[in-house]
Amino acid sequence: MTNATDQDRVLIFDTTLRDGEQSPGATMTHNEKLEIAELLDEMGVDIIEAGFPIASEGDFKAVSEIAARSKNSRICGLARANFADIDRCWEAVKYAGKSRIHTFIGTSPLHRAIPNLSMDEMADKIHETVSHARNLCENVQWSPMDATRTEWDYLCRVIEIAIKAGATTINIPDTVGYTAPVESADLIKRLIETVPGADEVVFATHCHNDLGMATANSLAAVAGGARQIECTINGLGERAGNTALEEVVMALRTRNDIMPWHTGIDTTKIMHISRRVATVAGFPVQFNKAIVGKNAFAHESGIHQDGMLKNRENFEIMRPEDIGLSGTSLPLGKHSGRAALRDKLETLGYEVGDNQLKDIFVRFKDLADRKKEVFDDDLIALMSLDDDDDCLQLVSMKVTCGTGGQAESTVELEFDGKDVIATEHGDGPVDATFKAIRAIYPNEAHLQLYQVHAVTEGTDAQATVSVRLEEDGMIATGQSANTDTVVASAKAYIHALNRLIMRREKAGPGADTREISYKDLT
Ligand code: KIV
Ligand code: ZN
């Protein structure tokens, strides 16, 4: 195990649950947040930014519980530059063995104009708020939001103030994904050389991916002297997302010859957490995504396959096992028993209790009856299926299609304990089915995304369907998998509706249910 005080050690600060979760549609439930935090902790993430405690009661509860359950990671919460935010943040993170308050303010000319503060007024505010945070917590991170578009002299001035007020980490956000690698390295290097007290604190880099340079910019910042990278699993985050954890970690590991820095991440946990985040956030990973994409280790062309057989290093710079992908995987079938299923799930990273195993085994048998071979990806899809406590449940459905595209769908749903049936016609089976569901549960939700992926090959392959709905500014995603694409579509739609219902109930009557972003709150 590496020593955290070692000069070459880069701290990994994961913000999947804060910056990632702010991405419209990526909202996770309380239990999902706890699960992801536990996985991050287990994989060796140094600091977990668990949420923005003042943003909502739900965020506060999630951060507090994550803090109370944390094992090795430091738990951090976000707070704007005011006492109420900072106090609320401390209330939530103080339950952790190791806590951090992360407070920020936009320092660029554009961001200074929002609270309409002069440079001097903002400087005073930074001093006051960082000192306040430091009086509560011995570990304080301060961020000048939009640092990469802040005037050089002012940036040096406010960083010096934050350090004097007690900040222990100075984070340099590239909030709009504007910088480039040469500039990123140079900025951090010059700040460390110029700002008095800079050698007493850790410099962090926080990059967004608007120009596709987040990973390169983060690594360049490390070359410039940063020793904390802020990132998210799968690069989840607003717009084009944040730096992807798996990319920076694997780049440092694979090219350690030219980037001689290391992290404390157990890389074999990467694949499992990537899948879980994709599922719970409802953001499927693009097939050709570096490290965790379905094709990242697939070698299809004849030349490549031949080369791989002779020596895998011909075309592979990392081993699939390094990120937790099992090289060969024997499929299960309808004769496989519970022990084999449990064993397989464990190798895929799932720990299941006896009751959960019973439930999954029933679903597995059902799938194995329809599909000869049940592959790892089928099981992963099975593990992300919907919740039995949901208030809308699919009981049965029957679809008939004509050659002209018209289809008829009869859907039976259990809605608040009663069975209701509706038949509708539509432009194809999915359209007819969604209309029938809307006839049973009328709603104004607008379909923002409908996506189908085949989980494995063959005509009996399962399809995973993702549906994203929007209603009054509130977004919910649903997913499901089935060998029948129309059934998977119906279930994914119902799953998204259940999440909308749940969020409406949580917000209470007449509440403003729009997604809250730190930008709205700034
Ligand atoms: O992108 C950004 O500037 C942020 C800050 C809150 C650090 O996420
Ligand atoms: Zn950000």
Side-chain angles (χ1 to χ4, degrees):
M1 196 58 205
T2 48
N3 179 354
T5 58
D6 174 346
Q7 285 302 298
D8 299 331
R9 170 76 153 80
V10 175
L11 298 170
I12 294 295
F13 175 109
D14 181 278
T15 183
T16 306
L17 297 172
R18 199 278 297 169
D19 219 341
E21 216 243 355
Q22 268 171 215
S23 172
T27 318
M28 302 175 201
T29 65
H30 183 77
N31 287 342
E32 288 165 350
K33 287 182 190 174
L34 299 188
E35 181 198 338
I36 299 301
E38 194 176 333
L39 294 174
L40 291 169
D41 199 329
E42 277 168 7
M43 88 185 295
V45 163
D46 299 285
I47 306 111
I48 299 174
E49 188 164 52
F52 188 5
I54 203 148
S56 69
E57 200 47 41
D59 252 49
F60 179 81
K61 281 201 187 125
V63 179
S64 319
E65 204 166 331
I66 289 168
R69 289 167 172 235
S70 59
K71 294 186 189 109
N72 298 310
S73 305
R74 185 176 290 282
I75 305 302
C76 171
L78 185 69
R80 288 165 299 175
N82 66 64
F83 286 11
D85 271 45
I86 293 169
D87 291 346
R88 190 77 174 142
C89 179
W90 173 239
E91 278 307 305
V93 297
K94 70 180 183 192
Y95 299 104
K98 291 184 276 179
S99 352
R100 172 176 294 184
I101 296 175
H102 174 194
T103 179
F104 74 99
I105 194 161
T107 51
S108 65
L110 281 168
H111 283 262
R112 285 200 304 268
I114 303 171
N116 199 15
L117 292 178
S118 70
M119 283 178 158
D120 288 344
E121 285 165 340
M122 183 168 282
D124 289 346
K125 200 181 216 349
I126 293 164
H127 185 264
E128 252 167 41
T129 50
V130 175
S131 307
H132 183 69
R134 186 56 203 265
N135 282 337
L136 297 170
C137 182
E138 37 90 48
N139 194 298
V140 173
Q141 170 165 328
W142 181 71
S143 297
M145 187 161 81
D146 207 12
T148 52
R149 294 191 300 167
T150 299
E151 304 91 324
W152 167 252
D153 288 345
Y154 191 58
L155 188 60
C156 291
R157 176 178 166 199
V158 288
I159 291 174
E160 185 180 349
I161 291 172
I163 295 174
K164 285 205 175 115
T168 46
T169 298
I170 298 293
N171 175 37
I172 304 300
D174 182 30
T175 305
V176 290
Y178 179 69
T179 198
V182 177
E183 191 179 66
S184 177
D186 183 60
L187 178 62
I188 301 281
K189 185 168 176 288
R190 284 196 299 135
L191 285 172
I192 294 175
E193 284 166 0
T194 313
V195 178
D199 51 346
E200 317 259 299
V201 298
V202 173
F203 269 75
T205 175
H206 176 111
C207 299
H208 281 265
N209 203 29
D210 298 66
L211 291 171
M213 294 194 280
T215 296
N217 288 337
S218 303
L219 294 170
V222 172
R227 286 295 176 270
Q228 175 177 301
I229 297 180
E230 307 211 353
C231 46
T232 59
I233 301 293
N234 300 338
L236 192 68
E238 281 189 280
R239 310 186 310 277
N242 290 61
T243 301
L245 179 146
E246 63 279 6
E247 292 179 15
V248 285
V249 167
M250 289 310 288
L252 287 176
R253 184 185 155 124
T254 309
R255 294 309 313 274
N256 203 253
D257 52 332
I258 53 164
M259 294 186 283
W261 306 288
H262 54 267
T263 71
I265 298 294
D266 174 356
T267 61
T268 63
K269 309 256 191 232
I270 285 179
M271 208 53 222
H272 179 61
I273 193 163
S274 161
R275 286 170 177 147
R276 290 304 295 145
V277 168
T279 301
V280 302
F283 270 68
V285 173
Q286 91 196 39
F287 280 14
N288 58 343
K289 161 89 179 60
I291 319 294
V292 292
K294 203 173 156 68
N295 293 352
F297 289 90
H299 299 273
E300 292 280 347
S301 83
I303 291 184
H304 282 212
Q305 283 180 354
D306 185 48
M308 283 288 291
L309 289 174
K310 290 193 176 115
N311 179 356
R312 58 195 289 175
E313 282 181 19
N314 280 340
F315 287 102
E316 235 171 45
I317 55 168
M318 296 165 276
R319 293 176 316 150
E321 302 86 281
D322 295 342
I323 60 155
L325 267 175
S326 49
T328 51
S329 74
L330 292 177
L332 299 181
K334 66 176 174 189
H335 299 298
S336 306
R338 249 176 242 218
L341 178 64
R342 186 196 286 271
D343 196 52
K344 175 66 94 180
L345 289 174
E346 273 170 11
T347 60
L348 291 173
Y350 296 94
E351 276 178 33
V352 287
D354 289 344
N355 284 342
Q356 204 190 351
L357 183 68
K358 241 190 231 165
D359 175 48
I360 296 159
F361 191 66
V362 173
R363 294 187 197 170
F364 160 72
K365 281 285 175 192
D366 177 48
L367 178 63
D369 277 342
R370 283 178 284 130
K371 200 172 179 296
K372 227 172 84 205
E373 295 179 307
V374 178
F375 294 97
D376 290 0
D377 285 344
D378 289 316
L379 286 177
I380 291 159
L382 201 75
M383 290 301 289
S384 41
L385 290 185
D386 19 32
D387 199 335
D388 289 343
D389 297 335
D390 286 343
C391 99
L392 281 173
Q393 301 268 355
L394 180 66
V395 179
S396 68
M397 58 186 286
K398 189 171 169 208
V399 179
T400 32
C401 301
T403 45
Q406 274 292 306
E408 181 184 277
S409 177
T410 300
V411 175
E412 183 181 358
L413 291 188
E414 188 187 304
F415 175 32
D416 270 349
K418 285 191 215 105
D419 279 4
V420 192
I421 298 187
T423 299
E424 290 289 332
H425 294 91
D427 210 356
V430 175
D431 186 46
T433 302
F434 283 16
K435 280 185 178 147
I437 295 170
R438 264 199 304 277
I440 299 172
Y441 180 74
N443 65 83
E444 296 298 315
H446 163 70
L447 184 67
Q448 275 198 336
L449 171 107
Y450 169 72
Q451 216 170 45
V452 184
H453 283 146
V455 175
T456 51
E457 282 84 41
T459 48
D460 66 349
Q462 286 198 95
T464 38
V465 177
S466 306
V467 163
R468 189 186 306 158
L469 299 176
E470 187 272 334
E471 189 189 66
D472 290 337
M474 180 166 62
I475 295 170
T477 49
Q479 279 198 329
S480 195
N482 200 284
T483 46
D484 184 319
T485 310
V486 187
V487 174
S489 303
K491 288 188 161 186
Y493 186 49
I494 293 165
H495 189 204
L497 283 175
N498 278 315
R499 287 186 151 207
L500 271 184
I501 295 168
M502 191 180 75
R503 292 197 56 197
R504 255 192 249 129
E505 278 169 3
K506 257 198 212 156
D512 181 356
T513 50
R514 279 171 310 164
E515 302 258 317
I516 303 169
S517 115
Y518 68 92
K519 291 196 182 108
D520 297 335
L521 293 166
T522 308

